[in-house]
Amino acid sequence: MLIDSHCHLDFPDFAEERDAIIQRARQAGIGLMLTISTRLDQFERVLAVAEAYPDVYCTVGIHPHEADDHVDVAAARLIELAKHPKVVGLGETGLDYFYEHSDRDAQKTCFLAHIVAARETGLPVVIHTRDADDDTAAILDAEMAKGKFKGLLHCFSSGQPLAELAVRHDMMVSFSGILTFNKARAVQDSAQALPMKNLLVETDAPYLAPVPMRGKRNEPSFVAHTAAFLAKLKGVGVSEITETTTANFLRLFDKVPHEAVSDRRAA
């Protein structure tokens, strides 16, 4: 089975046909979906989606765009919310200097709170970084030196040095539909160079639909197109990408119960 390691099933884009979208994902061989938190005041909505479906899990966290509204966030609050059995990761968090919807210092403060929570809980932190490679790398290097934690660079569109840093720190790197875009040669080069043990796939739905679905609203079933493209880049069969990325996801998000995985594979 494939796993969509990053989507936003709570977003209004999906509200009217969420059941049908999840059913299409199941029919496409998507065994699990991870729906991602972006604001703490909307976390209950994210959690409700995860609780409603046996094959959906979630994270808790604050997107860098929302950091200005969460400057006082404490790691303890994230740790408390992460106790729920359906919460298997922290984030998404990180740095976004492209849009700069939030102050850079506020973004860094939120990012560091998530890292503290990741060390305490053992859960992975899902990292968003855009036009902020140097600061992201500096934070990761400094914080890993204080104590290891698990991490994932999601929707990777950064440079090769950040991908290499992820490998050094035994982090995962996830590729979205961007990988399939004609002009995404640098992203494709990064995917080709990365070891298989560091790879994940995602949709980031409802955004960034892959070729041949580009221009449509993205949804978890479309992750199969990204996986197929990644297989071609790596020169392996789709089944190897499916098996490897699923195993990688389950190693990283190891709070997902084994029985949940077995049930979905049997289905």
Side-chain angles (χ1 to χ4, degrees):
M1 67 178 190
L2 272 170
I3 294 176
D4 183 358
S5 65
H6 194 112
C7 56
H8 297 279
L9 292 171
D10 70 301
F11 279 17
D13 308 66
F14 298 128
E16 293 185 2
E17 54 170 336
R18 190 175 293 114
D19 287 348
I21 287 164
I22 289 175
Q23 186 57 34
R24 286 197 290 272
R26 293 167 179 165
Q27 291 169 347
I30 314 307
L32 293 175
M33 290 153 269
L34 185 62
T35 191
I36 304 295
S37 170
T38 59
R39 292 183 60 93
L40 290 190
D41 59 5
Q42 295 175 1
F43 170 65
E44 289 300 322
R45 190 176 76 187
V46 176
L47 184 59
V49 174
E51 289 179 323
Y53 303 95
D55 41 359
V56 177
Y57 288 82
C58 72
T59 64
V60 59
I62 302 152
H63 193 288
H65 289 344
E66 313 296 340
D68 280 351
D69 292 337
H70 297 81
V71 289
D72 296 325
V73 67
R77 177 62 174 153
L78 296 169
I79 292 166
E80 181 63 28
L81 293 172
K83 290 178 180 178
H84 191 284
K86 275 282 188 164
V87 178
V88 298
L90 298 155
E92 62 186 289
T93 184
L95 306 175
D96 192 313
Y97 296 170
F98 182 81
Y99 288 111
E100 296 205 81
H101 290 327
S102 286
D103 176 77
R104 292 187 179 188
D105 287 339
Q107 293 184 43
K108 291 175 183 176
T109 296
C110 279
F111 191 6
L112 292 172
H114 287 73
I115 290 172
V116 171
R119 281 201 204 93
E120 179 69 23
T121 62
L123 298 178
V125 57
V126 178
I127 299 165
H128 169 114
T129 180
R130 188 170 184 189
D131 280 15
D133 283 17
D134 289 347
D135 281 1
T136 297
I139 288 172
L140 291 175
D141 277 336
E143 292 300 313
M144 285 290 185
K146 296 176 185 177
K148 292 288 187 180
F149 57 92
K150 295 189 295 183
L152 161 63
L153 296 178
H154 109 89
C155 193
F156 191 80
S157 61
S158 298
Q160 188 65 25
L162 195 60
E164 292 170 355
L165 177 146
V167 173
R168 288 199 306 275
H169 292 309
D170 199 27
M171 298 173 67
M172 296 286 180
V173 179
S174 181
F175 292 93
S176 69
I178 291 173
L179 185 71
T180 71
F181 297 175
N182 289 335
K183 295 182 179 180
R185 189 63 240 178
V187 176
Q188 294 164 8
D189 288 345
S190 293
Q192 283 183 309
L194 279 165
M196 292 282 280
K197 68 182 180 67
N198 297 94
L199 295 174
L200 291 179
V201 289
E202 65 172 89
T203 58
D204 205 8
Y207 311 115
L208 302 172
V211 175
M213 300 300 185
R214 193 171 183 187
K216 298 182 179 181
R217 180 200 62 191
N218 205 359
E219 60 179 71
S221 63
F222 294 177
V223 77
H225 298 291
T226 302
F229 191 93
L230 181 59
K232 283 187 177 181
L233 277 179
K234 301 294 283 185
V236 300
V238 174
S239 61
E240 184 171 349
I241 288 295
T242 298
E243 292 169 8
T244 299
T245 57
T246 294
N248 290 347
F249 178 94
L250 297 174
R251 187 171 73 252
L252 182 65
F253 294 96
D254 58 2
K255 187 177 171 181
V256 175
H258 290 294
E259 57 268 26
V261 180
S262 299
D263 289 348
R264 295 313 305 159
R265 281 180 168 150

